[in-house]
Amino acid sequence: MQPDTTTPGPAPGAGPAAADVIHDIGYRHYDGPRLGRGYARRSLYSQSLRGAYGFGRSAKSKVMPMILFGVMCLPAVIIVAVAIFTKQNELPVEYTAYAVNLQMVIALYVAAQAPVSVSRDLRFKTVPLYFSRPIDRIDYVTAKFGALATALFALTAVPVLILYVGALLAKLDFTEQTKGFAQGIVSVAVLSLLLAAIGLVIAALTPRRGFGIAAIIAVMFIPYTAVSAVQAIAYDQQNPDAVPWIGLFSPTTLNDTISAAFLGGTPSVPGQVDPSKGVGAIAVLVTVALIAGCIALLLRRYRKAGL
Amino acid sequence: MTVIATESLSKRFPRVTALDRLTVGIEPGVTGLVGANGAGKSTLIKILLGLSPATEGTATVLGLDVSRDGSAIRERVGYMPEHDCLPPDVSATEFVVHMARMSGLPPTAARERTADTLRHVGLYEERYRPIGGYSTGMKQRVKLAQALVHDPQLVFLDEPTNGLDPVGRDDMLGLIRRIYSDFGISVFVTSHLLGELERTSDHIVVIDGGKLLRSSSTSDFTGATTTLAVEVTDTDATPDGTGALRKALSEAGLSLQADGHVLYVEAAGDQADDTYDTVRDAVAELGLGLVRMEQRRHRIAEVFSDHDQQQGGSDAA
């Protein structure tokens, strides 16, 4: 047979061609797109967000987040039903106060889901597998933080939305309700960012999920209980000006102060002492500093967890 | 093309020097990195993945600078850690798909590549079951699959045979060999067991205390020596066959050493070929049975023992 000179490429049996033949039979190389760091970060974000509600995981892991989500929404549904049937001219609860009133449920959610997000990767030492890929610790931390904050936002904003829809169905004043709704959404957004940051730092300190849960519950409740008690004492001793300042020392009262100062809320503190704009501004600064500090701690935590 | 190149690469921690001016160039193929625990193997991999800055010196992986292009390097290489790294409550398929996406593969490609890769490493029906129920050998395969799923040009395997039984070890070594021969992916594999790397690697780099001891092809390490190993049987006429042969060969002017029943005969220089004849004739004359006459091969372990002897010598001096 004449050598076919029109066929491009090396003759059969030549080094590279022979190697290619072997690859075709068994192993296939991937020559499609590689979407890089941004895509990997978004994938981690969506996987973590789904995981925060148990999607893509076992049926058992959906139970807790779903129950808490239901518990969070149920009072809103009841409030709306009552408002519609008794023809109230305003909702019995403010948009900004709803999350504060149900803070126990939110704290339980953070305690249950923050460890799911980060403790598993630490306990099973999966973290090095992430960091041997295009993403680095900033991507990992922002994806995990973003996912938990979004999950918390869904938990806290949906009931606010239910209240708003209910208020409109009850034919309450549209402008007033829309303003209140917007303020409520901003308030829960800030709360979600703050609680996600705090929850993740505590969860990332321990690979043991149980410790993480206990520690988060402690951090959510002990400062709140202490702050509330001190606020009550301050108010009783004719010192109402001190009340908003004391509120700077627990995450939920911090958020309450911001809502009351800037978002038209009534403070859920003894005597309903209205904070001045100055205290409100400081509360904003403290919140920003706490979130930034928690993220810095998380980045520090993962510097060593590399390989 | 050089896959990995380091130039007087050093890594110093406050108390220890993990790498000490390491200069080495690695070609495509299977390269074994040998060193005792704490010799600096893991530190080197960390630097090559662009995760830990070197104190001094430079390194490139696939032509990319580790200090600047870490992310680009990590997109093109795979890494299998030494320790456990698998969550027990998800299936191998789910886990590897997730890791493929973390490497930048679009969702559909991630799923296809995962199915292919798990099949190539030898996981079939069990890939849908949670990893928690897998044997050590199966877990090692999943770890390997996550390092290969994005079709890297180079994989770093850190002690891949750790914790495996002899059969699992053989399977894993065969698989490592196939990663290069069948998949065309270069392999950089570490081990503290020399024998394993002798069998799988084309090229071997030996480090000790962060210093380069030797870097050469496996055939150089295990290549033929000038020593001839001879073993004979005893007969009724000569009850001590080995002793008799030893005497005869010494008288013939050959230099030799005895080690139990094996005689090591030097076959160097111009008379190298004659040595074979001399041994054959001596054995025939004594009427002994010749069990073995072969060129002795080096073993990688000798690199260490030679080094230790030198160290011992210099310490004594």
Side-chain angles (χ1 to χ4, degrees):
Chain A
M1 196 183 100
Q2 289 292 314
D4 187 359
T5 48
T6 58
T7 307
D20 282 347
V21 170
I22 293 170
H23 297 163
D24 287 346
I25 297 165
Y27 188 80
R28 281 183 300 169
H29 279 286
Y30 176 72
D31 45 18
R34 290 171 194 268
L35 305 174
R37 215 175 127 176
Y39 164 81
R41 187 176 50 216
R42 286 194 302 280
S43 300
L44 182 59
Y45 167 81
S46 62
Q47 193 246 11
S48 306
L49 178 57
R50 284 156 43 83
Y53 281 97
F55 294 114
R57 298 179 52 227
S58 63
K60 212 173 65 184
S61 35
K62 293 181 184 68
V63 174
M64 189 67 169
M66 286 307 165
I67 288 178
L68 291 174
F69 187 77
V71 169
M72 199 65 195
C73 293
L74 189 65
V77 173
I78 295 171
I79 289 168
V80 163
V82 169
I84 292 175
F85 286 110
T86 60
K87 308 218 183 313
Q88 305 262 331
N89 50 10
E90 66 172 356
L91 288 177
V93 60
E94 286 181 8
Y95 290 106
T96 51
Y98 190 84
V100 177
N101 291 340
L102 283 167
Q103 60 166 301
M104 182 126 113
V105 183
I106 304 170
L108 283 176
Y109 182 87
V110 177
Q113 299 310 121
V116 169
S117 188
V118 291
S119 305
R120 294 173 72 253
D121 286 348
L122 287 168
R123 178 149 58 119
F124 305 125
K125 297 188 189 150
T126 318
V127 177
L129 297 187
Y130 288 104
F131 294 152
S132 65
R133 293 183 148 72
I135 62 167
D136 60 26
R137 60 202 166 100
I138 297 165
D139 302 308
Y140 182 85
V141 166
T142 51
K144 290 287 183 186
F145 170 63
L148 187 60
T150 310
L152 274 169
F153 183 70
L155 182 77
T156 51
V158 169
V160 174
L161 183 67
I162 293 173
L163 288 179
Y164 177 58
V165 172
L168 296 185
L169 288 175
K171 307 225 176 350
L172 301 183
D173 181 62
F174 178 77
T175 323
E176 199 183 302
Q177 294 302 320
T178 305
K179 188 177 167 222
F181 171 66
Q183 288 169 333
I185 290 293
V186 173
S187 168
V188 295
V190 174
L191 185 67
S192 301
L193 290 171
L194 180 61
L195 295 187
I198 295 174
L200 282 182
V201 165
I202 300 167
L205 288 179
T206 167
R208 301 280 295 271
R209 218 178 104 200
F211 287 153
I213 292 173
I216 292 171
I217 290 181
V219 168
M220 295 291 168
F221 285 119
I222 294 172
Y224 176 74
T225 315
V227 162
S228 301
V230 177
Q231 279 178 332
I233 294 167
Y235 184 71
D236 277 351
Q237 298 188 339
Q238 320 300 322
N239 207 350
D241 292 346
V243 170
W245 290 97
I246 298 164
L248 296 177
F249 292 93
S250 116
T252 36
T253 51
L254 193 59
N255 190 254
D256 190 51
T257 307
I258 296 175
S259 302
F262 300 109
L263 300 168
T266 309
S268 317
V269 293
Q272 302 193 331
V273 185
D274 254 325
S276 65
K277 290 275 187 273
V279 183
I282 290 171
V284 171
L285 284 178
V286 171
T287 304
V288 170
L290 269 175
I291 294 172
C294 286
I295 290 177
L297 279 175
L298 278 170
L299 289 174
R300 211 182 125 90
R301 172 73 179 86
Y302 285 103
R303 196 179 55 192
K304 282 282 170 194
L307 291 186
Chain B
M1 189 195 113
T2 306
V3 180
I4 300 170
T6 71
E7 183 66 48
S8 75
L9 193 68
S10 298
K11 178 77 183 181
R12 290 189 201 90
F13 295 108
R15 279 157 183 275
V16 281
T17 300
L19 289 177
D20 193 3
R21 282 159 303 182
L22 190 71
T23 300
V24 69
I26 290 165
E27 304 292 313
V30 180
T31 303
L33 176 66
V34 195
N37 291 332
K41 290 173 294 185
S42 297
T43 306
L44 179 59
I45 290 184
K46 257 190 240 185
I47 294 176
L48 294 177
L49 284 170
L51 294 173
S52 168
T55 314
E56 233 172 66
T58 57
T60 60
V61 174
L62 305 168
L64 298 161
D65 188 325
V66 295
S67 60
R68 282 200 321 267
D69 308 319
S71 184
I73 290 172
R74 294 195 297 273
E75 193 172 270
R76 292 167 176 77
V77 305
Y79 168 63
M80 171 179 170
E82 179 183 355
H83 53 72
D84 283 340
C85 55
L86 306 171
D89 53 352
V90 296
S91 70
T93 299
E94 284 173 72
F95 181 72
V96 177
V97 166
H98 178 56
M99 284 299 147
R101 296 185 62 173
M102 289 301 106
S103 289
L105 266 58
T108 317
R111 241 168 277 126
E112 285 171 9
R113 287 282 316 169
T114 297
D116 276 8
T117 311
L118 287 174
R119 184 167 51 80
H120 281 300
V121 301
L123 278 175
Y124 302 95
E125 291 315 309
E126 55 271 35
R127 66 177 188 265
Y128 301 111
R129 295 206 315 260
I131 296 171
Y134 289 12
S135 66
T136 310
M138 282 157 72
K139 283 183 185 163
Q140 289 298 88
R141 286 162 197 264
V142 180
K143 280 164 66 177
L144 186 60
Q146 66 78 31
L148 295 173
V149 69
H150 52 296
D151 189 28
Q153 287 162 262
L154 166 71
V155 279
F156 294 100
L157 310 179
D158 202 353
E159 304 269 1
T161 54
N162 245 10
L164 295 177
D165 58 26
V167 177
R169 195 173 284 261
D170 281 351
D171 288 353
M172 180 54 75
L173 291 173
L175 205 47
I176 292 169
R177 193 61 231 167
R178 277 183 53 218
I179 294 173
Y180 182 65
S181 63
D182 294 4
F183 308 170
I185 298 169
S186 289
V187 180
F188 190 67
V189 51
T190 75
S191 178
H192 57 276
L193 296 172
L194 302 161
E196 291 187 342
L197 295 182
E198 262 177 30
R199 286 163 55 195
T200 40
S201 308
D202 303 314
H203 192 98
I204 288 182
V205 175
V206 185
I207 59 171
D208 190 34
K211 281 196 174 71
L212 181 69
L213 231 52
R214 190 165 165 188
S215 167
S216 51
S217 70
T218 310
S219 54
D220 283 356
F221 274 101
T222 59
T225 62
T226 53
T227 312
L228 205 60
V230 182
E231 216 178 317
V232 291
T233 57
D234 301 332
T235 58
D236 290 341
T238 33
D240 179 15
T242 310
L245 181 63
R246 184 180 181 181
K247 191 156 165 274
L249 292 177
S250 301
E251 281 165 4
L254 295 176
S255 68
L256 75 166
Q257 283 184 316
D259 180 10
H261 282 281
V262 186
L263 292 175
Y264 294 110
V265 185
E266 273 305 317
D270 302 335
Q271 289 86 38
D273 290 344
D274 297 341
T275 309
Y276 288 79
D277 295 344
T278 313
V279 173
R280 180 199 61 202
D281 295 344
V283 172
E285 222 162 276
L286 291 164
L288 303 170
L290 185 58
V291 178
R292 175 159 84 112
M293 175 161 80
E294 61 176 14
Q295 272 194 321
R296 199 166 149 257
R297 304 186 81 80
H298 277 304
R299 295 187 50 79
I300 297 179
E302 291 166 17
V303 175
F304 282 102
S305 53
D306 289 356
H307 178 69
D308 288 347
Q309 278 168 17
Q310 282 167 21
Q311 288 269 305
S314 61
D315 285 350

